[in-house]
Every structure is written in C-alpha cells, then in structure tokens.
Amino acid sequence: ALLSYHPEETRRVLELVRPLAATPGKVAYKFHPATKAADFTALLPPAPALVATPLAEALAGASGVIGAGSGALAEAVSLGCPVLAARTPGEEVALALNYLPNFGEDTLWANVETPEDVAPALAALRAFQHSPEYATSKAAFTALLFTEPTPQSIAALLTLDPAFAPAPGAHAAH
C-alpha cells in the first residue's frame, strides 16, 4: 500500500487493504515521508510490514500497488507495477484526488472503491501485463509523464508546430 500525505486518502487505502492484511505478509505499507504510521495504528494489522526504502526499491518484486492521492502511483505504473487507485464509493470522478492520467485506465491502472473490487481489478491488470500491447502501453504512459523537458518535447506535448521549436543546441536570444 502506497500511502498519501493526505490523512483521509491514507485511511481510505488502509480500509481497502484491511481484508488482504489479515493474511500476514500479504501487504507492505509505504507511508508518505511526512506521515507517521503511529497515527494510523487502529487501521493497521499487528506488526505491519513497514517499508522505508526508496520507492523504486520498495516496488521491486511487488505484485501490485494500491494508493490514493499520490503522484508516486504514476511512478509505480512506469516501473511496471499494476496500480489500483482508491476512490470513495459514489465520489464524483472530477473531485477524486487522483494524479493518474486517463491513459492506461483499466489496463495499466484501475480505480477501486470497495475491498471486493481489489482482487478482480488486480487480476485484470496482471493479465494485461502478459498481453502483446503491454510494453507499448507502458512505454507510452512513461513517455507521457516522464519526458525530459526539452523545447522539442514541450512543443510535441503541446502539439505545437515543430517549426517554432528551437533547433537542438540552440539558445534563446535575450
């Protein structure tokens, strides 16, 4: 579980994984650096597996990630983890604190609202990882969010005419 800086989002994720957490070793918890696990003791299992390593290290070997209100979920997708974005049941999509783009929804990442949604959504995302389209989709997702901000990439992102972008190595006149 990748937990947010926002307490309500953290509570929501902890409630969603509570049934999974009943099996020891099934869930590891990575709290946001500005939050403390002790503030959420009532929602954690006894002796929870707390992760303090850097994100990329923490995600190595993870079979999936669930979280909310965290840009780190996009990093998890780009690192190859199926991601579940926690939503409050009935919450209007426009009001959800979700930093993931529409691209990749239901293939690289999925919304979940109830504990019962978690296992089937994760299974569907894992199945897509074995499809011929997965590598292309993951690469496109990564390029969409993690591109070096060069004049050319910014022009392409904004779909500007490349004729107006400076040539590589050119400096703007002052």
Side-chain angles (χ1 to χ4, degrees), residues 44-167:
L44 291 167
L50 301 177
V51 177
T53 58
L55 184 63
E57 222 175 285
L59 295 176
S63 61
V65 175
I66 185 168
S70 175
L73 293 176
E75 288 181 63
V77 170
S78 72
L79 290 169
C81 286
V83 168
L84 301 177
R87 281 193 38 203
T88 301
E91 178 180 46
E92 191 174 323
V93 174
L95 299 177
L97 186 57
N98 181 355
Y99 301 118
L100 295 167
N102 291 336
F103 181 83
E105 185 174 2
D106 296 327
T107 55
L108 300 173
W109 68 274
N111 284 302
V112 292
E113 294 184 351
T114 67
E116 296 77 26
D117 294 341
V118 173
L122 192 53
L125 296 176
R126 284 191 198 136
F128 182 72
Q129 285 185 310
H130 300 289
S131 74
E133 298 87 11
Y134 174 72
T136 303
S137 293
K138 185 172 110 25
F141 182 94
T142 302
L144 177 67
L145 297 177
F146 300 101
T147 300
E148 185 70 29
T150 64
Q152 292 75 23
S153 67
I154 293 168
L157 178 67
L158 298 174
T159 61
L160 298 174
D161 185 338
F164 294 107

Side-chain angles (χ1 to χ4, degrees), residues 14 18 21-22 27 29 40-49:
L14 293 173
R18 186 177 267 179
V27 179
Y29 303 87
F40 300 94
T41 305
L43 294 170
L44 291 167

